[in-house]
Amino acid sequence: DQGTWEIGGGPGSAHSGEKTAATVFGDNYHEDVDSRLVSPPFELPAADQLPRLRFWHRYSFSNLDTARVQIKTGDGEWQNLPTTFVGTSSNAWSRPAIDLTPFAGSTAQLALHFTSLQDGNNADVDKGWYVDDLAIVTGAPTFAVPESWEEGLGDWHVDQGTWEIGGGPGSAHSGE
């Protein structure tokens, strides 16, 4: 809807593979935008399967520009899911988890909804919302004891995106 989204990017611009969805590649996102990237309809798993949306994203916005995930069930209206991404972040890839249990068992569509104001404050290149590897996951989240991060993020998730997993030799207490 309203066309600011692109799919592409090339090596290094996606979380995995070579392509990602983004508000723009290689430049600034546009001002005065209200745009959705909309999924096809699909069946959400039953509530006892604990469905949740997981995806990788990175973002950096000006002032009060926002990114939200929305859901629409049946012929209903778009509803904002609880997490809103606002303002600047580290622009590092992070992985939120959004509970979809209230919509379980229904036919739904998801949307990546991006809005920007006309404020003249998005002059830095590489600002925008980049989203990759969307998945509906099910089952109870697990907690590794002890959590060493050697296997990545696991079922942990990031709110407002400044956490990263990684480092390499010498940067961790044990392991890499």
Side-chain angles (χ1 to χ4, degrees):
D1 292 344
Q2 307 303 317
T4 197
W5 288 92
E6 299 178 352
I7 306 295
S13 64
H15 178 262
S16 65
E18 292 190 9
K19 294 183 180 180
T20 189
T23 53
V24 72
F25 289 106
D27 202 355
N28 313 349
Y29 60 85
H30 298 283
E31 294 187 329
D32 198 23
V33 169
D34 186 349
S35 180
R36 287 183 185 90
L37 179 61
V38 180
S39 78
F42 64 97
E43 288 292 320
L44 276 166
D48 64 353
Q49 294 182 39
L50 305 173
R52 55 204 179 278
L53 175 66
R54 300 296 309 260
F55 58 95
W56 286 95
H57 74 147
R58 64 183 177 90
Y59 64 93
S60 181
F61 307 138
S62 297
N63 294 334
L64 299 177
D65 299 346
T66 60
R68 294 181 173 93
V69 179
Q70 296 180 317
I71 192 165
K72 178 169 67 168
T73 57
D75 292 329
E77 299 292 320
W78 288 111
Q79 301 175 52
N80 291 330
L81 291 172
T83 304
T84 301
F85 307 101
V86 180
T88 60
S89 79
S90 66
N91 208 16
W93 288 102
S94 59
R95 191 173 187 221
I98 300 175
D99 182 23
L100 298 175
T101 304
F103 310 98
S106 63
T107 299
Q109 286 180 280
L110 294 172
L112 303 175
H113 184 216
F114 177 73
T115 58
S116 68
L117 302 175
Q118 189 165 358
D119 59 9
N121 287 323
N122 68 340
D124 297 332
V125 173
D126 206 25
K127 283 191 171 187
W129 193 19
Y130 298 76
V131 183
D132 207 1
D133 301 329
L134 286 91
I136 303 296
V137 298
T138 57
T142 59
F143 183 69
V145 178
E147 182 60 81
S148 67
W149 311 112
E150 297 303 310
E151 301 301 316
L153 195 59
D155 278 325
W156 287 71
H157 68 274
V158 176
D159 287 339
Q160 301 305 316
T162 59
W163 291 90
E164 297 181 68
I165 305 297
S171 62
H173 177 270
S174 62
E176 293 187 20

